[in-house]
Amino acid sequence: MHFPNFRDTHSVPELLAPAGGPEAFNAALAAGADAIYCGLGNSFNARRGAHNFTDETFGEACRRAHLAGARVYVTVNIAVATREIPQVLELIRRAWLLGADAFIIQDWGLLAEVRRSWPQIECHVSTQANVHDARGTAWCRELGVGRVTLSRELSLDEMRTIAKEGVELEAFGHGALCFCYSGVCMMSSLAGGRSANRGLCAQPCRLPYDLVDEEGHAIEAPGRTRPLCPKDYCVVDDLPQLRDAGVASLKVEGRMKSPDYVYAVISAYRSALDALGAGGEKDSRADAARHRTLRRVFNRDFTDAYLWGRSGDEMMSYERSNNRGELVGEVVSSRKLEDTLVRRGGSDGGRERMRRLTRADVEIRLDQPVGEGDLLELRPLDDPSQFLTVRAERAAVAGETITCRASRPIPAGAVVRVIRSQAAMDAAARVSGLDVPRRRPVTVSVRARLGEPFSVTLACADGSAVATTEGFVMEPARTKAVTREDLIEHVGRMGQSPFEPVSFEVQMDEGAGMGFSAVHKVRAQACEALEQQILAPYDARAERLAVAPSARGVAGRLAEVREKDGLAAPDAWTRPAPEACALVASAEAARSAFDAGATRVYATADALADGAAWPEGVIPWLDEVCREGDHARLDPWVGAGQPVGVGNVSELALAASRGALAEIRTCIPVHNESCLVALEEAGAAGFWLSPELTLEEVCALAGAASVPVGLVVSGRARAMTSEHCVLQAAGRCIHDCPNCELRRRRLSLRDIDGNLLPVRTDVHGRSRIWAAHPLDATPQADALVAAGVTRLMADATLLSPEECAFAVERVVRALAAAAAGKRPAPRVQGATSGHLFTGIG
């Protein structure tokens, strides 16, 4: 008998499964997940569109998981508004009492509040927090987190380096890849108000775009119509390397996926991890079976490019964003059947309405086996848009020809794919409603000594819990004596319990007798006692868990933190005079900005290092990405006592260690006062607030800060940063970024509505995409200044020196109008106010 969960759990990474609802949760358990992550409610997690869990279904799910030996993690991985902090804390408290084992958190303010309220609660840093190097991981370690979820873009070498920090690492293993670095994507919110940082991403990266030149001519290569659509990740062949790199947990994506997807993917990875843990020779037949399982559920084809330090065309699904399934054959022929008339539904003036139904028999020659009921996609090569789907009416092996009933004929040569496995659907359906989807391995000890109580001891095979129950006193047999085999058979009948025996130890005297109904009773009591032992630590939590703080309580604690750490109170420091600021891309633009009245000018590290003669006083603006290989070019710009814009917590940690004046860029989202205080504690000397905030939220945060607060009021917001170069859609990559001619041009992506999104690739091959419409919030300068915003920036990254001067002059005039008590000039034509008045989802 095979027990897939009876293994050395330290020899392989934890298998972490997604669950968008109870059915998928059961599927994950049944398939062998070590841990499951899910959302409680639909308000505060990054998959708000999933079914998610109620308190009742979550509590039941936790019980099932814990009895099976699995852990449960709750996602609270979004940016949280100040007013929401008490609600989220109450949700976390409820989830902890219901059985959650850990919480996956993006927001640094929320993390600080949880650590203050309940230091016993295990917290994991979400991949949304954008941590991708050892220094950032060490910074998280000092906050007391139990795990850091690394960015998906990292290589094995980088993981190996980060693992030396001694923090448990979670790495992405399988499923949909975001095109943008997680946590810094604003394309969805800028395009339609649905924010990825708030759990409502509309997935604009999966849509068609044209790569166009300065005249609007499309320059992408044929078929590359989805330049932002990566393949799905799949590391099933890379598990030994991930284990050796120090990865503790392997995450499967899919809280929006169906239970059969979860069951199939987790089953495949469970099989691969068990084989890895057992050692032995590579089994090519088992490997092929796992690949077949993975390809027969939703996938966009597979890549593991990031693991090996690659990010080129090999990782992209340019031609389609939907399910590819597995290629299994081709259409040989199709024959149209006689049309039939069917009732259309209802009547028209007493006359039946009929419609003509076309049907066809399609013959398919198989290169791979199919199962009865499998969903097949038939896609013509000459016009792929004219695909259709059919069901396999019977199981068949490679080399056979099968006939399927279709809605119309399909050309010979059309490729055939399995896009959904009926076997996986049936397996998931079988476990979806079970109270015990997976049984936990236990060792069994039976003691049957004459004159002593009959006893059964059950112990979890992993050593986590043990329970002993005694019953009747053993007596000599009056008729037939009981054998050792009899006891093993009857004690081993564990019925509807959540346990499965894996070994027996029997101590008994010869000639002993007993009634088996009495044996069953003791065994049932032992099962119940072991359940209680396993669940006891969770049941005891309520005795020592503090209540969640109210809004007033949170505010009071923040005041205490400020006083304890010597931070200025918001109303006890003198705000500097408002300043016009500019972010520029060249030394010439920097001079134009200064000449136009800017008092603070920023430029990226790459721009400052380009060899030009820069004017004095330009402030380094570091990247939103800081991987191990980026330190050499970014770190030198961080100096003691000098201002510097930091784009992630690694750069913040460096700035704090060197005594630099770190200004938090918008890519470290600050949506609440708790986050302000947490980052001030960490060394922040200023903030640039997120473009996803409303005017009311900006003003409230500015009033709550005790360091200068700024807002970008002009220019285009950065929507995406990707490791993959968007310009590769042109099919002209020379693999030499410094000498790439395309990189020097002013190219854009044109969306399905004709909007142009500027795109630029830097000298390191990373692409950035900007919003389709420019921002002009200068008309709100008076309200911003009155609320305490003291730095108003014109983002001139995409502007010429002349355009930069014009943008800065508008900011200067708006500040002057505000100082004079006058209304600033109206918004420029064609610009938007961003989310200042509309907010985000």
Side-chain angles (χ1 to χ4, degrees), residues 61 101 142 186 194 220 237 294 305 333 357 392 411 470 591 606 661 700 760 762 779 804 839:
D101 292 285
E142 298 308 307
M186 290 185 287
R194 293 179 54 183
E220 73 269 9
D237 294 327
L294 294 174
S333 64
L357 178 65
E470 295 182 345
R591 285 187 286 271
D606 287 343
L661 304 177
R760 303 289 185 271
D762 65 24
C804 172

Side-chain angles (χ1 to χ4, degrees), residues 458-488:
L458 301 181
C460 293
D462 61 9
S464 59
V466 61
T468 300
T469 302
E470 295 182 345
F472 57 90
V473 176
M474 291 294 301
E475 298 178 350
R478 296 177 183 176
T479 55
K480 182 181 178 181
V482 173
T483 67
R484 180 181 185 276
E485 289 70 26
D486 291 333
L487 283 181
I488 290 175

Side-chain angles (χ1 to χ4, degrees), residues 222-267:
R224 299 191 177 195
T225 56
R226 285 176 167 80
L228 310 183
C229 183
K231 296 175 182 176
D232 287 0
Y233 220 40
C234 178
V235 302
V236 74
D237 294 327
D238 307 309
L239 299 180
Q241 293 88 344
L242 285 160
R243 177 196 59 188
D244 296 344
V247 170
S249 179
L250 191 73
K251 174 187 175 181
V252 172
E253 178 272 341
R255 282 198 292 134
M256 299 290 286
K257 300 285 178 56
S258 62
D260 58 287
Y261 174 92
V262 173
Y263 186 87
V265 173
I266 297 304
S267 294

Side-chain angles (χ1 to χ4, degrees), residues 553-569:
V554 171
R557 292 199 313 191
L558 292 178
E560 293 172 1
V561 170
R562 288 185 187 277
E563 183 176 0
K564 172 179 173 292
D565 291 341
L567 303 176

Side-chain angles (χ1 to χ4, degrees), residues 296-298 323-325 375 377 389 417-421:
R296 295 191 176 201
V297 291
F298 188 99
N323 187 9
R324 291 182 180 224
L375 185 63
E377 178 197 85
T389 58
R417 299 174 183 270
V418 172
I419 59 173
R420 198 161 188 183
S421 163

Side-chain angles (χ1 to χ4, degrees), residues 96 114-115 117-122 541 544-546:
W96 183 253
V114 174
R115 299 298 299 150
S117 296
W118 308 294
Q120 70 271 41
I121 287 182
E122 183 177 334
R541 285 177 170 180
R544 55 185 186 275
L545 190 68

Side-chain angles (χ1 to χ4, degrees), residues 695 777-788 792 814-815 817-819 821-824:
L695 180 61
T778 57
Q780 281 65 56
D782 50 352
L784 294 169
V785 170
L792 273 62
L815 288 174
K822 299 178 181 179
R823 295 188 64 177

